[in-house]
Amino acid sequence: MRLEGRNLSWRYEGGPWLFTDFNLSLQPGETVGLTGPSGSGKTSLGRLLAGYAKPITGEVTVAGRSKQNSGYDPVQMIFQHPERAVNPRWRLAKTVAEGWSPDASLLEALGIREDFLQRYPNELSGGELQRCCIARALGPGTKFLIADEMTTMLDAITQAQIWHTVLDIAAARQIGLLVISHDHALVNKICDRTVSFG
């Protein structure tokens, strides 16, 4: 199985092309870094690969087949701003269980306390909320994970804790991980290879 974007092109309506004919592939168990300046289209590329938008040209495939929009998606994405990725009217128990029911060992590994799940998003810190978004993305059907500046807004200690946990889980389950980041030191430390963008 491989996640592949072939000849991808994207721009916002009426705007300039952010990228054209871009190719990227991700293997199970591989960690790939995607770096580039702000505004170069890194997040837009991540959204195309995760199925949140359709490329203007090109195709995204998983195991050689076009991505489907039904059922649990094997490609999950974690966004930089967790508060924008959740329904503010849902308690976190409902958010985390969206698509699957997480087990206690995963919640413990991510430092998610039981009382977190009974709260609403605005009752958690950014780090606590991001942990819940990561748990939601790590269902048993997840084969590829796109982490878009996943820990940029968090303090250094929380960043290190979250990355350690995610990398351990990805390695154990052979999840392909695409790391979108401005942090070249992080990318160089944790990634098998790096793709420069823009």
Side-chain angles (χ1 to χ4, degrees), residues 81-130:
H81 299 283
E83 70 279 3
R84 300 178 187 175
V86 298
N87 188 327
R89 296 185 294 274
W90 287 5
R91 293 185 191 272
L92 269 300
K94 184 175 181 179
T95 294
V96 171
E98 189 178 9
W100 78 293
S101 297
D103 57 53
S105 62
L106 176 64
L107 298 181
E108 182 179 358
L110 288 170
I112 298 172
R113 302 200 311 262
E114 181 63 32
D115 63 290
F116 290 1
L117 302 179
Q118 306 311 314
R119 301 181 192 179
Y120 291 96
N122 66 353
E123 297 175 322
L124 296 179
S125 71
E128 292 165 347
L129 186 56
Q130 189 68 301

Side-chain angles (χ1 to χ4, degrees), residues 158-179:
T158 303
Q159 286 186 36
Q161 291 172 341
I162 287 179
W163 274 116
H164 180 76
T165 300
V166 169
L167 289 169
D168 281 353
I169 293 171
R173 292 172 45 186
Q174 286 294 285
I175 293 173
L177 180 61
L178 180 65
V179 180

Side-chain angles (χ1 to χ4, degrees), residues 18 35-43 80 149 180-182 184 197-198:
L18 290 178
T35 64
S38 296
S40 60
K42 300 186 302 299
T43 294
Q80 177 178 357
E149 301 284 3
I180 301 174
S181 180
H182 288 99
H184 291 276
F197 200 68

Side-chain angles (χ1 to χ4, degrees), residues 72 76 100 106 134-143 173 175:
Y72 190 91
Q76 293 290 311
W100 78 293
L106 176 64
I134 294 168
R136 177 179 61 179
L138 284 172
T142 298
K143 305 301 180 185
R173 292 172 45 186
I175 293 173

